[in-house]
Amino acid sequence: MPEQLVIRELSKRFGGVVALNAIDLLVEAGELVGLIGPNGSGKTTLLNIVSGYYDADGGTIDYDGKPVAGLSPHRLARIGIGRSFQITKVFRRLTVLENMLVSGLSDWSESRAAATERAMEVLADLNLTRLAHERAGNLSGGQAKLLEFARIMMLQPKIVLLDEPFGGVHPELKRFMYERIREWNANGVTIILISHDMGSIFGLCRRVVTLSYGDIICDGTPDETRANPAVLEAYLGDRHDAA
Ligand SMILES: Nc1ncnc2c1ncn2[C@@H]1O[C@H](COP(=O)(O)OP(=O)(O)OP(=O)(O)O)[C@@H](O)[C@H]1O
Ligand SMILES: [Mg+2]
Protein backbone atom coordinates (compact mmCIF):
# COMPACT_ATOMS: atom_id res chain seq x y z
CA MET A 1 0.00 0.00 0.00
CA PRO A 2 1.34 3.45 -0.85
CA GLU A 3 2.33 6.04 1.73
CA GLN A 4 2.38 3.54 4.54
CA LEU A 5 4.99 4.06 7.21
CA VAL A 6 6.43 0.67 8.13
CA ILE A 7 8.80 0.49 11.09
CA ARG A 8 10.49 -2.84 11.79
CA GLU A 9 12.63 -3.85 14.77
CA LEU A 10 13.69 -0.28 15.37
CA SER A 11 16.24 0.01 18.17
CA LYS A 12 18.04 2.89 19.83
CA ARG A 13 20.35 2.87 22.83
CA PHE A 14 21.85 5.82 24.69
CA GLY A 15 24.73 4.36 26.70
CA GLY A 16 23.08 1.81 28.97
CA VAL A 17 19.55 3.11 28.31
CA VAL A 18 17.44 1.19 25.80
CA ALA A 19 15.27 3.99 24.42
CA LEU A 20 13.65 1.79 21.74
CA ASN A 21 13.64 -1.97 22.01
CA ALA A 22 13.18 -3.41 18.50
CA ILE A 23 9.75 -1.91 17.96
CA ASP A 24 7.43 -2.72 15.04
CA LEU A 25 4.84 -0.17 13.99
CA LEU A 26 2.75 0.20 10.85
CA VAL A 27 0.91 3.44 10.16
CA GLU A 28 -1.48 3.53 7.21
CA ALA A 29 -1.93 6.59 5.03
CA GLY A 30 -4.58 8.85 6.55
CA GLU A 31 -4.36 7.55 10.10
CA LEU A 32 -4.23 9.82 13.15
CA VAL A 33 -2.24 7.84 15.71
CA GLY A 34 -1.70 8.92 19.30
CA LEU A 35 1.64 8.02 20.87
CA ILE A 36 1.63 8.00 24.65
CA GLY A 37 3.74 6.63 27.48
CA PRO A 38 5.40 7.83 30.67
CA ASN A 39 8.35 10.23 30.65
CA GLY A 40 11.42 8.64 29.11
CA SER A 41 9.49 5.82 27.42
CA GLY A 42 10.96 6.57 23.97
CA LYS A 43 8.28 8.67 22.25
CA THR A 44 10.50 11.57 21.21
CA THR A 45 13.32 9.18 20.29
CA LEU A 46 10.97 7.39 17.88
CA LEU A 47 9.99 10.68 16.23
CA ASN A 48 13.59 11.85 16.15
CA ILE A 49 14.56 8.72 14.23
CA VAL A 50 11.59 8.72 11.84
CA SER A 51 12.22 12.38 11.03
CA GLY A 52 15.94 11.85 10.49
CA TYR A 53 17.37 13.67 13.52
CA TYR A 54 18.84 10.52 15.11
CA ASP A 55 20.20 7.38 13.52
CA ALA A 56 18.77 4.10 14.73
CA ASP A 57 21.08 1.37 16.05
CA GLY A 58 19.05 -1.23 14.20
CA GLY A 59 15.86 -1.83 12.27
CA THR A 60 14.26 -0.41 9.16
CA ILE A 61 11.82 2.34 8.22
CA ASP A 62 9.99 2.23 4.90
CA TYR A 63 7.82 5.02 3.65
CA ASP A 64 5.72 4.66 0.53
CA GLY A 65 7.51 1.37 -0.19
CA LYS A 66 11.02 2.83 0.01
CA PRO A 67 13.62 2.67 2.79
CA VAL A 68 14.00 6.07 4.44
CA ALA A 69 16.03 5.34 7.59
CA GLY A 70 19.12 7.54 7.70
CA LEU A 71 17.86 10.19 5.27
CA SER A 72 18.40 13.78 6.45
CA PRO A 73 15.49 15.73 7.96
CA HIS A 74 15.61 17.96 4.89
CA ARG A 75 15.26 15.05 2.43
CA LEU A 76 12.50 13.55 4.53
CA ALA A 77 10.64 16.86 4.61
CA ARG A 78 10.82 16.96 0.82
CA ILE A 79 9.28 13.51 0.47
CA GLY A 80 6.50 14.57 2.81
CA ILE A 81 7.55 13.78 6.38
CA GLY A 82 7.27 16.92 8.55
CA ARG A 83 7.61 17.33 12.28
CA SER A 84 7.31 19.73 15.17
CA PHE A 85 9.73 19.83 18.05
CA GLN A 86 8.97 19.33 21.70
CA ILE A 87 10.83 22.58 22.26
CA THR A 88 9.55 25.17 19.80
CA LYS A 89 12.08 26.05 17.14
CA VAL A 90 11.59 29.19 15.10
CA PHE A 91 14.13 31.66 13.76
CA ARG A 92 13.69 34.44 16.31
CA ARG A 93 15.35 37.21 14.30
CA LEU A 94 13.33 36.57 11.15
CA THR A 95 9.75 37.74 10.69
CA VAL A 96 6.88 35.29 10.76
CA LEU A 97 6.59 35.45 6.97
CA GLU A 98 10.36 34.97 6.53
CA ASN A 99 10.16 31.94 8.80
CA MET A 100 7.51 30.54 6.46
CA LEU A 101 9.62 31.12 3.37
CA VAL A 102 12.69 29.45 4.82
CA SER A 103 10.82 26.16 4.85
CA GLY A 104 8.54 26.91 1.89
CA LEU A 105 11.35 27.66 -0.49
CA SER A 106 12.91 24.25 0.00
CA ASP A 107 10.71 23.36 -2.98
CA TRP A 108 12.95 24.88 -5.65
CA SER A 109 10.34 24.85 -8.39
CA GLU A 110 8.21 27.47 -6.63
CA SER A 111 8.71 31.21 -7.24
CA ARG A 112 9.08 33.53 -4.28
CA ALA A 113 5.80 35.23 -5.15
CA ALA A 114 3.93 31.93 -5.26
CA ALA A 115 5.54 30.81 -2.01
CA THR A 116 4.62 34.10 -0.34
CA GLU A 117 1.02 33.75 -1.46
CA ARG A 118 0.85 30.20 -0.14
CA ALA A 119 2.52 31.26 3.11
CA MET A 120 -0.07 33.98 3.65
CA GLU A 121 -2.86 31.44 3.09
CA VAL A 122 -1.41 29.11 5.69
CA LEU A 123 -0.92 32.00 8.13
CA ALA A 124 -4.54 33.05 7.60
CA ASP A 125 -5.68 29.50 8.33
CA LEU A 126 -3.88 29.75 11.69
CA ASN A 127 -5.04 33.33 12.49
CA LEU A 128 -1.48 34.65 12.14
CA THR A 129 -2.03 37.13 9.31
CA ARG A 130 -1.66 40.23 11.47
CA LEU A 131 1.69 38.92 12.78
CA ALA A 132 3.20 38.21 9.34
CA HIS A 133 5.75 41.02 9.59
CA GLU A 134 6.46 40.65 13.30
CA ARG A 135 9.82 39.23 14.36
CA ALA A 136 9.32 35.66 15.53
CA GLY A 137 11.29 36.50 18.67
CA ASN A 138 8.45 38.81 19.74
CA LEU A 139 5.76 36.11 19.58
CA SER A 140 4.20 34.58 22.68
CA GLY A 141 4.92 30.91 23.34
CA GLY A 142 1.54 29.95 21.92
CA GLN A 143 1.97 32.08 18.80
CA ALA A 144 5.42 30.55 18.25
CA LYS A 145 3.80 27.14 18.46
CA LEU A 146 1.25 28.14 15.82
CA LEU A 147 4.07 29.43 13.64
CA GLU A 148 5.73 26.07 13.95
CA PHE A 149 2.47 24.43 12.82
CA ALA A 150 2.32 26.90 9.94
CA ARG A 151 5.86 26.05 8.87
CA ILE A 152 5.06 22.35 8.84
CA MET A 153 1.97 22.92 6.70
CA MET A 154 3.97 25.11 4.32
CA LEU A 155 5.85 21.94 3.39
CA GLN A 156 2.54 20.27 2.43
CA PRO A 157 3.47 17.13 4.31
CA LYS A 158 1.88 13.73 3.86
CA ILE A 159 2.87 12.70 7.37
CA VAL A 160 3.07 15.06 10.33
CA LEU A 161 4.87 14.06 13.51
CA LEU A 162 3.79 16.28 16.41
CA ASP A 163 5.68 16.16 19.70
CA GLU A 164 3.72 17.61 22.63
CA PRO A 165 2.02 20.36 20.61
CA PHE A 166 -0.23 21.23 23.56
CA GLY A 167 2.56 21.52 26.15
CA GLY A 168 2.26 24.81 28.03
CA VAL A 169 -0.45 26.07 25.70
CA HIS A 170 -3.43 28.16 26.83
CA PRO A 171 -6.72 26.11 26.78
CA GLU A 172 -8.31 28.26 24.10
CA LEU A 173 -5.28 27.92 21.83
CA LYS A 174 -5.21 24.23 22.61
CA ARG A 175 -8.76 23.84 21.29
CA PHE A 176 -7.80 25.76 18.17
CA MET A 177 -4.76 23.52 17.55
CA TYR A 178 -6.85 20.46 18.28
CA GLU A 179 -9.34 21.49 15.58
CA ARG A 180 -6.55 22.22 13.09
CA ILE A 181 -5.08 18.75 13.68
CA ARG A 182 -8.49 17.20 13.14
CA GLU A 183 -8.96 19.25 9.95
CA TRP A 184 -5.55 18.36 8.49
CA ASN A 185 -6.24 14.70 9.12
CA ALA A 186 -9.70 15.00 7.54
CA ASN A 187 -7.91 16.47 4.50
CA GLY A 188 -5.82 13.30 4.23
CA VAL A 189 -2.67 14.15 6.20
CA THR A 190 -1.35 11.21 8.24
CA ILE A 191 -0.58 12.33 11.78
CA ILE A 192 1.39 10.85 14.66
CA LEU A 193 0.64 12.84 17.79
CA ILE A 194 2.63 12.62 21.01
CA SER A 195 0.96 14.14 24.05
CA HIS A 196 0.61 13.73 27.77
CA ASP A 197 -2.81 15.37 27.38
CA MET A 198 -4.93 12.23 27.49
CA GLY A 199 -8.17 14.13 26.88
CA SER A 200 -6.86 15.39 23.55
CA ILE A 201 -5.28 12.07 22.56
CA PHE A 202 -8.38 10.03 23.34
CA GLY A 203 -10.61 12.65 21.72
CA LEU A 204 -8.64 12.94 18.50
CA CYS A 205 -7.15 9.50 17.88
CA ARG A 206 -9.01 6.32 17.10
CA ARG A 207 -5.73 4.46 17.53
CA VAL A 208 -3.40 4.94 20.46
CA VAL A 209 0.06 3.35 20.76
CA THR A 210 1.57 3.17 24.25
CA LEU A 211 5.31 2.97 24.88
CA SER A 212 6.96 1.93 28.12
CA TYR A 213 10.73 1.64 28.49
CA GLY A 214 11.13 1.44 24.72
CA ASP A 215 8.51 -1.28 24.15
CA ILE A 216 5.04 -0.97 22.63
CA ILE A 217 2.86 -2.31 25.41
CA CYS A 218 -0.51 -1.47 23.86
CA ASP A 219 -1.82 -0.62 20.39
CA GLY A 220 -5.57 -0.12 20.32
CA THR A 221 -8.57 2.15 20.53
CA PRO A 222 -8.85 4.72 23.33
CA ASP A 223 -11.21 2.35 25.19
CA GLU A 224 -8.82 -0.58 24.83
CA THR A 225 -5.94 1.62 25.98
CA ARG A 226 -7.80 2.91 29.04
CA ALA A 227 -8.80 -0.64 30.00
CA ASN A 228 -5.30 -2.12 29.52
CA PRO A 229 -3.71 -3.00 32.89
CA ALA A 230 -0.18 -2.73 31.45
CA VAL A 231 -0.83 0.90 30.47
CA LEU A 232 -2.17 1.75 33.92
CA GLU A 233 0.80 0.04 35.53
CA ALA A 234 3.27 1.92 33.33
CA TYR A 235 1.77 5.25 34.38
CA LEU A 236 1.43 4.35 38.06
CA GLY A 237 5.03 3.14 38.08
CA ASP A 238 6.02 6.46 36.57
CA ARG A 239 4.18 8.40 39.27
CA HIS A 240 5.76 6.23 41.94
CA ASP A 241 9.25 6.96 40.54
CA ALA A 242 8.56 10.67 40.51
CA ALA A 243 7.39 10.71 44.14
N1 LIG B 1 20.07 12.61 23.29
C1 LIG B 1 19.99 11.73 24.31
N2 LIG B 1 21.07 11.37 25.02
C2 LIG B 1 20.98 10.47 26.03
N3 LIG B 1 19.85 9.89 26.41
C3 LIG B 1 18.73 10.21 25.74
C4 LIG B 1 18.73 11.15 24.68
N4 LIG B 1 17.46 11.27 24.19
C5 LIG B 1 16.71 10.46 24.95
N5 LIG B 1 17.47 9.81 25.88
C6 LIG B 1 16.97 8.81 26.85
O1 LIG B 1 16.19 7.87 26.14
C7 LIG B 1 15.02 7.53 26.88
C8 LIG B 1 13.80 7.89 26.06
O2 LIG B 1 13.71 9.32 25.98
P1 LIG B 1 12.62 10.08 25.14
O3 LIG B 1 13.02 11.50 25.13
O4 LIG B 1 12.44 9.40 23.85
O5 LIG B 1 11.32 9.87 26.03
P2 LIG B 1 9.86 10.49 25.89
O6 LIG B 1 8.93 9.33 25.89
O7 LIG B 1 9.80 11.44 24.77
O8 LIG B 1 9.71 11.26 27.30
P3 LIG B 1 8.93 12.63 27.66
O9 LIG B 1 7.49 12.24 27.81
O10 LIG B 1 9.53 13.03 28.97
O11 LIG B 1 9.17 13.62 26.57
C9 LIG B 1 15.14 8.27 28.21
O12 LIG B 1 15.72 7.42 29.15
C10 LIG B 1 16.04 9.43 27.88
O13 LIG B 1 16.75 9.86 29.03
MG1 LIG C 1 9.50 13.46 24.64
Side-chain angles (χ1 to χ4, degrees), residues 143-201:
Q143 289 166 340
K145 217 143 217 176
L146 282 181
L147 173 55
E148 212 193 328
F149 264 45
R151 292 181 68 205
I152 295 171
M153 294 324 281
M154 189 67 189
L155 288 163
Q156 301 178 300
K158 296 183 182 119
I159 300 190
V160 175
L161 312 168
L162 296 170
D163 198 352
E164 306 273 13
F166 309 121
V169 164
H170 187 273
E172 203 172 308
L173 183 58
K174 190 174 100 178
R175 269 194 300 280
F176 181 73
M177 292 166 83
Y178 182 107
E179 287 310 323
R180 295 288 81 68
I181 291 170
R182 195 197 283 286
E183 193 178 276
W184 294 339
N185 182 244
N187 289 334
V189 180
T190 307
I191 297 176
I192 301 176
L193 171 64
I194 293 178
S195 181
H196 286 293
D197 183 338
M198 295 303 166
S200 296
I201 288 277

Side-chain angles (χ1 to χ4, degrees), residues 31 56 65 69 95 111:
E31 276 196 290
T95 68
S111 72

Side-chain angles (χ1 to χ4, degrees), residues 11-73:
S11 291
K12 181 69 178 176
R13 234 168 280 108
F14 294 104
V17 175
V18 178
L20 292 176
N21 188 19
I23 68 156
D24 294 312
L25 182 66
L26 193 157
V27 177
E28 301 281 2
E31 276 196 290
L32 200 180
V33 180
L35 186 58
I36 66 170
N39 294 116
S41 55
K43 305 180 297 296
T44 297
T45 300
L46 177 58
L47 257 63
N48 276 333
I49 294 174
V50 172
S51 56
Y53 287 88
Y54 292 169
D55 284 325
D57 294 325
T60 60
I61 306 170
D62 289 349
Y63 172 64
D64 203 6
K66 294 179 263 309
V68 296
L71 296 185
S72 71

Side-chain angles (χ1 to χ4, degrees), residues 79-91:
I79 62 171
I81 301 178
R83 70 161 291 175
S84 87
F85 293 88
Q86 192 161 3
I87 297 163
T88 302
K89 282 192 184 169
V90 296
F91 298 108

Side-chain angles (χ1 to χ4, degrees), residues 5 7 16 18 30 47 55 77 98 100 103-104 111 114 124 127 145 158 162 177 187-188 224 226-228 234 240:
L5 183 68
I7 294 169
V18 178
L47 257 63
D55 284 325
E98 285 163 350
M100 295 293 287
S103 57
S111 72
N127 286 349
K145 217 143 217 176
K158 296 183 182 119
L162 296 170
M177 292 166 83
N187 289 334
E224 285 161 356
R226 271 189 286 253
N228 189 314
H240 181 76

